[in-house]
Amino acid sequence: MSTKHSKRAAKFNRDTERVSRHDKTFWSVRQRRDSLAHNIPEWEDLREAANNIKKHTITHLADYLEMFEKAATENGAHVHWAKDAKEYNSIVIDIMHSHGVRKVVKSKSMLTEECHLNEHLEKEGIDVVETDLGERILQLMHLAPSHIVMPAIHITKEEVEECFEKKGVIRDAEPHISKAERDAAPPADPTYLTRCARYHLRDNFMTADCGMTGANFGVAETGDIVVCTNEGNADMSTSVPKLHIVSMGIEKLIPDYDSLAVFQRLLARHGTGQPTTVYTSHFRKPRPGGEMHIILVDNGRSDILANEGHWQTLKCMRCGACMNTCPVYRRSGGYSYTYFIPGPIGVNLGMLRDAGKHYHNCSACSLCCSCDNVCPVKVDLSSQIYRWRQDLDSMHHADKMKKTMSAGMRYVFERPSLYTTALRMAPWANHLPSFITNIKANTWAKGHSMPEFAKLSFHEMWKRGMVDNKKS
Ligand code: SF4
Ligand code: SF4
């Protein structure tokens, strides 16, 4: 049973300060993206190149997958294929069992969220430590990410401090930070809290038996895995443990290093408004004496590829720019969407995963098209949402109230004289008392003042020669 996006959004909207901060934070990231874009004259050419490379790779995926497997195997990595989440989880667990892994340090990977890997590892008695700071905060709070690039952006520094106190992160750091430094730190000081997290994580890096990373890109020609982070946690996760497991969705492949250069210029500029991520790590082969396993995961991607109306979602490189710009996401937060990936791309991916569970998310869109305009690989996000909405009726998921309203509007629009009469009468509604217009059924009135109808419609003004069409 799906919960309406609007209900979940209403819950998020109760905390007006949090909503305002959420909105402003993401809008500032969008603005940083714009100012970086304006400094690159070939910006639109880059987006077009990225779009073409992704289209080409996805439509020749079988060839590139084979090329990648061959190169990675020649480099000394073990390549595994997982058709779905179940197979993926069991491959990871088998590898870990065969190496006697008790603790794994993980850098951020949305694919592991998609496959619910952590739950499976914990059931096997394996201690899982997320090492991206935002992800670690959420793990300690037992919360899911609310954004794909900035997963804990909705959490305040005061909440982080409280969590670190409760979960022993501050205690772990005590031997490394002098009392004088601790006393000098203001309450909920982000620098102090980050230092605590660093010491807490460092202990975990040193004692882990396995490091897991995702993959921002897999380079087919060379078999390289490219991981972009701002915290260096992917490097720490793979520098201490001898066992490295990479989880990669099959759509993450790009042909070669020339292609990588295009995506590298776009990824961080779009995602966080930075010229580049602080670390761009290239993993080609196992460490001396170690093992590197790359798991290529399908989990529904082949079905998406075969979907004529929606295959272009596979171009997505998970930069998060469509979320940062989306007015609905910014004001309703990540948890208002039922799919684990929120925002414009999440609406589409959720429908592809399970339309019956996620169809309410299609309403979380004003069709402003801003997401299409910022996407670095030109995924046609709003057109796809529009198409899903058109399909809802045949899927038996159309909203009954909206259907009735649409039928009523159609009836009026198909009868010009009725339409004209209705327009003439509309200004009468301006005199209705608010207890009539602000009824529960009129959801528009929630949080809005009802707009006044103009005395004359535009059509009427045009007919009467009241519009200066030279100015318009
Ligand atoms: S759809 Fe485009 S903008 Fe959205 S996350 Fe994917 S690549 Fe980024
Ligand atoms: S078109 Fe819809 S999903 Fe895209 S930015 Fe606008 S409101 Fe958000």
Side-chain angles (χ1 to χ4, degrees):
M1 177 75 184
S2 174
T3 317
K4 275 190 174 181
H5 175 274
S6 56
K7 276 197 185 155
R8 291 167 165 240
K11 196 169 162 207
F12 183 72
N13 272 261
R14 275 186 223 132
D15 186 345
T16 50
E17 216 176 285
R18 196 184 299 266
V19 175
S20 165
R21 193 178 50 250
H22 195 264
D23 182 24
K24 280 188 194 143
T25 304
F26 284 113
W27 188 244
S28 71
V29 178
R30 158 75 208 261
Q31 285 177 315
R32 283 207 302 274
R33 173 241 177 234
D34 289 353
S35 61
L36 288 169
H38 292 149
N39 288 330
I40 298 183
E42 68 277 22
W43 182 256
E44 286 306 319
D45 294 337
L46 277 174
R47 285 183 71 218
E48 189 53 30
N51 174 25
N52 288 331
I53 295 167
K54 277 283 179 183
K55 272 188 185 167
H56 167 79
T57 320
I58 289 162
T59 50
H60 298 78
L61 200 51
D63 297 337
Y64 283 114
L65 282 166
E66 278 178 17
M67 194 190 288
F68 177 83
E69 183 187 33
K70 186 169 178 286
T73 308
E74 280 170 8
N75 294 339
H78 300 266
V79 178
H80 309 258
W81 300 83
K83 66 173 182 303
D84 55 23
K86 195 172 166 213
E87 201 165 274
Y88 162 73
N89 289 325
S90 76
I91 292 171
V92 176
I93 288 166
D94 284 351
I95 298 170
M96 290 200 185
H97 279 335
S98 67
H99 287 78
V101 172
R102 305 305 308 156
K103 182 190 277 191
V104 53
V105 276
K106 274 181 73 216
S107 89
K108 194 161 82 58
S109 154
M110 292 312 283
L111 181 59
T112 60
E113 295 281 339
E114 177 183 321
C115 299
H116 305 286
L117 176 71
N118 289 10
E119 290 161 37
H120 286 83
L121 292 179
E122 281 158 11
K123 269 188 210 151
E124 295 293 319
I126 296 167
D127 186 10
V128 187
V129 180
E130 294 287 350
T131 61
D132 171 273
L133 180 54
E135 288 282 348
R136 183 61 178 155
I137 292 167
L138 294 174
Q139 188 184 29
L140 292 170
M141 290 181 161
H142 305 289
L143 290 174
S146 81
H147 186 279
I148 57 174
V149 176
M150 293 163 268
I153 201 82
H154 58 300
I155 308 283
T156 64
K157 57 188 193 310
E158 289 76 17
E159 288 165 335
V160 173
E161 183 181 48
E162 194 187 325
C163 165
F164 280 11
E165 282 282 2
K166 265 196 210 155
K167 302 287 179 172
V169 176
I170 291 179
R171 191 196 54 227
D172 286 354
E174 267 170 14
H176 308 282
I177 303 176
S178 72
K179 185 170 181 319
E181 283 177 304
R182 286 203 299 274
D183 292 345
D189 177 36
T191 308
Y192 174 69
L193 294 173
T194 310
R195 279 188 77 193
C196 293
R198 186 189 297 156
Y199 288 118
H200 160 78
L201 286 173
R202 193 146 296 198
D203 286 347
N204 283 299
F205 287 127
M206 299 312 288
T207 51
D209 315 296
C210 172
M212 286 193 78
T213 65
N216 289 91
F217 307 102
V219 185
E221 194 176 67
T222 59
D224 288 12
I225 296 293
V226 182
V227 182
C228 307
T229 71
N230 277 326
E231 299 167 20
N233 54 313
D235 307 81
M236 287 296 288
S237 301
T238 51
S239 300
V240 183
K242 293 274 188 187
L243 176 63
H244 177 193
I245 302 178
V246 182
S247 311
M248 181 166 81
I250 54 174
E251 84 287 11
K252 289 294 178 82
L253 280 191
I254 53 171
D256 49 26
Y257 263 67
D258 284 347
S259 318
L260 182 65
V262 173
F263 292 106
Q264 280 295 99
R265 295 186 74 194
L266 292 167
L267 180 65
R269 286 183 169 91
H270 275 88
T272 49
Q274 296 166 277
T276 182
T277 45
V278 179
Y279 299 89
T280 300
S281 312
H282 298 237
F283 300 101
R284 180 168 288 183
K285 57 183 181 183
R287 296 176 52 207
E291 278 185 28
M292 181 177 179
H293 292 257
I294 302 170
I295 311 173
L296 296 165
V297 185
D298 186 316
N299 201 31
R301 285 158 178 79
S302 298
D303 295 334
I304 298 178
L305 185 55
N307 187 320
E308 211 181 319
H310 299 281
W311 69 273
Q312 294 211 31
T313 51
L314 287 178
K315 293 189 299 182
C316 173
M317 59 172 180
R318 305 285 192 271
C319 73
C322 56
M323 291 161 210
N324 305 346
T325 198
C326 176
V328 180
Y329 171 82
R330 282 188 280 115
R331 293 179 184 86
S332 62
Y335 298 154
S336 61
Y337 299 80
T338 53
Y339 194 52
F340 81 104
I341 296 180
I345 184 66
V347 172
N348 286 299
L349 291 173
M351 287 300 283
L352 287 160
R353 171 70 55 199
D354 184 346
K357 203 165 160 195
H358 303 296
Y359 67 91
H360 278 309
N361 296 338
C362 295
S363 303
C365 174
S366 64
L367 293 179
C368 70
C369 300
S370 183
C371 46
D372 300 13
N373 291 328
V374 299
C375 177
V377 283
K378 299 192 174 181
V379 178
D380 52 341
L381 294 151
S382 64
S383 305
Q384 293 199 35
I385 294 174
Y386 179 62
R387 282 201 288 282
W388 284 121
R389 286 185 182 177
Q390 289 176 319
D391 294 341
L392 285 181
D393 199 21
S394 61
M395 294 174 175
H396 309 291
H397 295 316
D399 184 290
K400 286 196 181 71
M401 171 73 94
K402 284 182 190 162
K403 267 184 88 172
T404 311
M405 283 168 64
S406 300
M409 285 167 75
R410 181 177 177 171
Y411 186 84
V412 175
F413 290 155
E414 285 178 350
R415 290 163 180 79
S417 56
L418 180 61
Y419 175 75
T420 315
T421 311
L423 272 188
R424 286 212 184 104
M425 288 168 66
W428 293 5
N430 294 339
H431 305 294
L432 291 173
S434 62
F435 70 85
I436 293 180
T437 51
N438 288 353
I439 54 171
K440 211 174 164 192
N442 181 10
T443 44
W444 168 264
K446 279 187 207 162
H448 295 91
S449 315
M450 285 298 289
E452 289 219 338
F453 286 99
K455 287 196 179 70
L456 288 177
S457 69
F458 181 77
H459 278 174
E460 199 59 39
M461 288 168 76
W462 185 272
K463 262 197 235 157
R464 294 185 195 187
M466 294 165 74
V467 178
D468 181 354
N469 64 355
K470 288 199 188 91
K471 275 192 197 162
S472 58

